[in-house]
Amino acid sequence: MIGKEINAEVIGVYPNKVKISVDNLNDFKAGESLKVGSYIRIPSDDGETILISVIESFSIEVSTEGKRKHLIDANPLGIIKDGKFIRGGDSIALPPKEAEPASTREINDIYQSSVELTKRLEFSSLSTNSAIRIPLDGNKFFNKHIAVVGSTGSGKSHTVTKIIQTAVNGRGGDYSLNNSHVVIFDIHSEYRSAFSDANFIDVSNLVLPYWLLTSEELEELFLDSDSNDHNQKFIFRESVVENRKLNAKCSDVDKVKIHFDSPIFFDLNNVLNSAKSKNEEVIDTGEVYASGAKQGLAKTVQGSLYGKLTNFVNRLEHKINDSRLDFLLGERSKKISFEDTIRNLLSYQEDKKSNVTIIDLSGVPFEVLSITVSLISRLMFEYGYYYKKIRCDSNPNEKINNDTPVLLVYEEAHKYVPNSDLVKYRASKRSIERIAKEGSKHGVTLLLASQRPSEISETIFSQCNNFVAMRLTNPSDQAYVKRLLPDSLGSLIDTMPSLRAGEALLIGESIVLPSIVQIDPCDENSQPSSSDIPYWELWKKEWKTFDIDKIKSEWFK
Ligand SMILES: Nc1ncnc2c1ncn2[C@@H]1O[C@H](COP(=O)(O)OP(=O)(O)O)[C@@H](O)[C@H]1O
Ligand SMILES: [Mg+2]
């Protein structure tokens, strides 16, 4: 018997590719819409397994007789066996013969059966078929670091918002606040409009204790790093340690152990005064002038540091009096307790508890941005570290290291953790790199969003396990991201420059297949605020006046 005529035939199988030749494309499509990114099914000869592949490219071949053939290159993703999808396509029985478009149902089944209902995190649909929802394993998504990359306007901020909103709205029972904890470092004041219930912190109500800065950060902030002046360094260290000892509530034996980095309060003003007095020190020699205009007056000589600390004293004084730095050096920073610092940052205050903390950094002066981000990040990391320690010490069989795990979200991550070794980035880079390396096991995960992935520290980027790659147009960024992603993606990755707003390539352990998806749009009333100013509309309006006095008083505050 002659078998039915084969319209679409497999003509080549390679580890990373299947080639299919199609005689009549319309018959082949059979009503499904086919695009690059659509799925093809290839049953094995015995019908036991079905290879699922994704279309990478179409081409047309014209034979010498003028007959047209369509050639499809597809990337094998996995096989369906006994109704179950298994990732990896190496076990197809040869030779496969026929190919046809996979049905919506078949693809939907693959996604739906991939994640248990209780673990399901869902914020997108398949780009080629919006009827197919994309569930992720929420545990796997949040317990490994996440990278969201894409050029400006590709939809990063909306995506980050959607992910957090989905996380915060997820509930297993009937209570108003679930146990999700997200801290957003918001450099462009974008996120307040998206999270009305969030604990909102900006420079007006941010209080950070400077005395918890590391020794490197303290020196970076208060010493003139260019001058390499040993006197100022020595005096600064000495008086900080002395003052910490003075303020420590412990026995004299324990005071001996206090060092420059001990997390104990010290008063900046005392440090300033001590530097001042060294700078002005005159020592009484015990003699008196025997004659001349000063006759009878005590004879003095200048102290060894007399006049040598003027620059240091001025710098310190300048910082202490700089009202822009009040959130870090002001009176409130001296009074706030360690406990309240942590409560504020994690939104565990008595009067307000919240799933999301937004730290608006737009008012933080650039010269202290890195140490500010570093301090907050380090506090979050150490919170996780010590919390884990307590839990595991009290119960050696403890399996969950941290039962209130935290997600730290960095917008414009390349500004805090760049590939550069410049001093001005050192603090935040060190703190965040530590979280990248060790945070996951203590319940502290990173979500890094960036339009310039190639400028992000590779140490950090290579620790990310979940990628949301959006439209990326810059070739060096594309090349960098490609290098960090698995080879098996084939040419899926080449779609990056042509994605639409809100479209993304989702890759990682949390998803059954690398997929091009459309992220669900944010609700109209809870979107991140756009930095797009409608110039043309505004310019067409009548001449407007603005209040220069008001601007001045804000400016000169
Ligand atoms: N998931 C989405 N669905 C539809 N439109 C989107 C989506 N995400 C973003 N957009 C559109 O793209 C624009 C830019 O998004 P935004 O998140 O600000 O990008 P980015 O942060 O990458 O600069 C938004 O104004 C919005 O209209
Ligand atoms: Mg943005």
Side-chain angles (χ1 to χ4, degrees), residues 151-159 190 411 501-502 518-521 532:
S151 306
T152 310
S154 60
K156 289 182 304 303
S157 301
H158 278 71
T159 299
E190 279 183 287
E411 256 284 349
Q518 177 72 40
I519 310 284
D520 298 343
D532 290 347

Side-chain angles (χ1 to χ4, degrees), residues 527-547:
Q527 296 190 3
S529 59
S530 162
S531 48
D532 290 347
I533 295 170
Y535 269 68
W536 186 227
E537 282 168 41
L538 290 169
W539 280 5
K540 280 193 283 194
K541 295 196 167 145
E542 204 184 334
W543 181 268
K544 268 197 178 115
T545 45
F546 53 86
D547 190 341

Side-chain angles (χ1 to χ4, degrees), residues 304-329:
S304 61
L305 292 171
Y306 187 88
K308 289 186 179 149
L309 299 173
T310 310
N311 281 347
F312 172 49
V313 168
N314 288 345
R315 191 180 161 94
L316 202 54
E317 213 158 28
H318 178 76
K319 297 274 181 209
I320 293 175
N321 294 329
D322 186 344
S323 62
R324 298 175 312 146
L325 302 183
D326 262 356
F327 71 94
L328 185 61
L329 309 179

Side-chain angles (χ1 to χ4, degrees), residues 21-23 59-71:
S21 159
V22 182
D23 292 334
S59 54
I60 296 170
E61 202 181 68
V62 184
S63 69
T64 41
E65 302 96 64
K67 212 172 159 235
R68 293 161 77 88
K69 263 193 170 202
H70 296 267
L71 295 177

